Amino acid sequence: MMIRIDLSGLRRTKWHDYAIRFLFGGLITAAAGLVAQRWGPSIGGLFLAFPAIFPASATLVEKHEKQRKNRAGLQGPMRGREAAALEAAGAALGCIGLAGFAFVIWQLVGVYETWIVLGGAGLLWLGISGLCWRILKLS
Amino acid sequence: MSFTQAETQLALINMTETFIRFVVGGLFVSAFAVLGDVLKPKSFAGLFGAAPSVALATLTLSIHSRGHDFAADEARSMIFGAIAFFVYACAVCRLIMRYKLPASIVASAAIVIWLAVAFTLETVIGR
């Protein structure tokens, strides 16, 4: 299956959905900083992989799919749940990449330029996650 | 400068840093979320549910304000957070499919799984 860009997804998302994601993302980033300041980087670091916006995203995916299938006269609630479960499965694969991202930064920060380490770790996240997705698709 | 003034200034710096973290984190998370919205198929877009958005924002600011060692410690613990996220995401997927529960309830309630796994790993292996 080919990976493609579908801009219609942007039209389905309401402005308050974007606002909620911004709010959750901002809050968890600020909270991670405060936790690290109060209890140290070991505890604060845990929250760098906190599923901050996942509940909001899964709910949104479920809602959109439900509406779409209802309009087509199909079982909306059931299809909505399946789409959300698929979103969770994708996120699980993304977590493997997330661990790789963290490992690279742990080992290489301070060794190379910051932008190289962060950029390289970001690309590694995409590479590992994409590869896991591809392997799962082929199997 | 009196002690009270110094304390006030420190509190102001902390507040400013927290505000910057809020804005930068919000922007990073929103950017990755938009990418997840426009990419197809859904299973691939789901990868962006575990994008390193909060981590990129936080680590950039941590390196800038607290140095490389602090950021390296955060990144080390983040590995445990990522393992906990993996367990959480698998549990959410399984609970939705097996018990036909609404995603909104499952994804929110299962946060306790993330907390339990992350703090157990940090306590047992991290210290």
Side-chain angles (χ1 to χ4, degrees), chain A residues 58-136:
Chain A
T59 306
L60 201 64
V61 165
E62 183 183 36
K63 191 178 87 180
H64 286 166
E65 191 66 13
K66 198 166 123 181
Q67 288 169 346
R68 212 163 65 90
K69 295 297 174 187
N70 274 343
R71 276 199 299 272
L74 297 166
Q75 275 193 313
M78 192 61 206
R79 295 295 180 92
R81 279 169 206 161
E82 281 173 7
L86 207 59
E87 177 88 357
L93 297 178
C95 290
I96 300 169
L98 205 58
F101 170 92
F103 182 81
V104 164
I105 293 178
W106 173 35
Q107 292 297 313
L108 299 181
V109 72
V111 178
Y112 298 103
E113 290 281 330
T114 301
W115 69 271
I116 294 173
V117 176
L118 291 177
L123 287 175
L124 186 78
W125 165 77
L126 189 62
I128 293 175
S129 307
L131 188 68
C132 290
W133 176 81
R134 189 79 191 137
I135 290 168
L136 205 73

Side-chain angles (χ1 to χ4, degrees), chain B residues 45-71:
Chain B
L47 297 177
F48 287 79
S53 41
V54 171
L56 275 171
T58 304
L59 289 168
T60 305
L61 296 168
S62 288
I63 292 167
H64 179 71
S65 61
R66 296 195 172 96
H68 293 128
D69 290 343
F70 192 93

